[in-house]
Amino acid sequence: GENVEQHPSTLSVQEGDSAVIKCTYSDSASNYFPWYKQELGKGPQLIIDIRSNVGEKKDQRIAVTLNKTAKHFSLHITETQPEDSAVYFCAASGWGGADGLTFGKGTHLIIQP
Amino acid sequence: DAGVIQSPRHEVTEMGQEVTLRCKPISGHNSLFWYRQTMMRGLELLIYFNNNVPIDDSGMPEDRFSAKMPNASFSTLKIQPSEPRDSAVYFCAFLTGSGNTIYFGEGSWLTVV
């Protein structure tokens, strides 16, 4: 089955700086890679996703890159703000998510004021 | 998350008792997933349904766990008998037909003492 590794487990950055979270996956058949943000006491919330037919996708301050050859993908957050503090999860799936997602262990992002 | 209603939000029960968690997704979904989240193991897929039919229950940890989806608007996850190691947050999630994205509910926080 699929295995997703996520690093770092904790990331502390100064407000206004950029944050990068990296993930690798094992199954070359995976073709869908979403990122979720989870705040305390809430369910994971989808913030951005990318499919295997593109290498990069951007939505305002958030961007995701995918390298299918190396089987890794990354989340980039620019101009970080206090409300970006949360736990972020990467995930991978085949069939566009229809068979469920395999998640990384999460990154606790702390934005220092 | 506004498209999924989970109940109860919090439950504390004694070891050996039966626990039933409920999920009401919005209409129009294709697939429904049950996930469990713990500090040690992260987010784990327990089971998923497609068109109300269980497709893959290989993530269900033991025979004490069972799940049903009697119709497109309702699903249950049952633990009988419950044990302290079942303490976790249980999430229901659904896959939308448009865009193929997976949305999570707010979770049911279960504590077995």
Side-chain angles (χ1 to χ4, degrees):
Chain A
E2 175 66 275
N3 182 50
V4 177
E5 299 283 340
Q6 183 172 348
H7 300 280
S9 57
T10 304
L11 178 60
S12 181
V13 300
Q14 289 293 125
E15 182 179 349
D17 288 350
S18 296
V20 180
I21 302 170
K22 299 182 179 182
C23 289
T24 60
Y25 62 99
S26 61
D27 188 350
S28 57
S30 290
N31 60 8
Y32 176 60
F33 308 93
W35 287 87
Y36 287 82
K37 175 183 181 182
Q38 187 176 27
E39 295 175 328
L40 199 60
K42 296 192 173 184
Q45 181 181 15
L46 179 71
I47 55 171
I48 195 168
D49 57 12
I50 191 167
R51 298 177 195 272
S52 59
N53 57 342
V54 298
E56 184 173 357
K57 183 176 178 181
K58 191 173 181 181
D59 182 4
Q60 299 183 350
R61 296 186 298 108
I62 295 173
V64 57
T65 58
L66 171 65
N67 184 327
K68 283 224 73 178
T69 303
K71 290 192 281 193
H72 65 71
F73 55 114
S74 300
L75 177 71
H76 304 252
I77 305 175
T78 59
E79 301 173 17
T80 53
Q81 300 169 5
E83 55 264 36
D84 295 330
S85 294
V87 180
Y88 291 80
F89 292 93
C90 62
S93 175
W95 300 99
D99 59 349
L101 299 169
T102 301
F103 283 88
K105 287 289 170 56
T107 296
H108 186 191
L109 177 62
I110 302 165
I111 308 300
Q112 304 277 6
Chain B
D1 57 357
V4 180
I5 299 173
Q6 290 190 245
S7 62
R9 289 297 317 278
H10 300 270
E11 176 147 348
V12 180
T13 190
E14 291 187 345
M15 182 174 65
Q17 297 296 307
E18 177 179 296
V19 174
T20 300
L21 307 178
R22 298 172 179 80
C23 173
K24 271 183 67 68
I26 62 171
S27 60
H29 67 281
N30 293 335
S31 300
L32 184 137
F33 309 85
W34 281 99
Y35 281 86
R36 177 173 69 175
Q37 186 176 35
T38 61
M39 288 294 293
M40 291 298 295
R41 301 175 67 89
L43 279 158
E44 302 173 278
L45 177 63
L46 300 178
I47 184 172
Y48 77 94
F49 297 82
N50 191 24
N51 293 325
N52 311 337
V53 176
I55 302 300
D56 184 356
D57 65 354
S58 60
M60 298 284 260
E62 298 172 35
D63 291 345
R64 299 183 296 106
F65 286 69
S66 63
K68 293 182 180 179
M69 192 163 186
N71 58 63
S73 300
F74 186 66
S75 178
T76 60
L77 178 68
K78 187 174 291 187
I79 309 172
Q80 167 63 16
S82 58
E83 297 182 4
R85 59 194 167 124
D86 301 331
S87 298
V89 185
Y90 291 83
F91 289 104
C92 173
F94 68 95
L95 176 73
T96 63
S98 60
N100 274 359
T101 51
I102 296 178
Y103 294 94
F104 282 76
E106 294 288 82
S108 291
W109 295 66
L110 174 65
T111 302
V112 183
V113 297

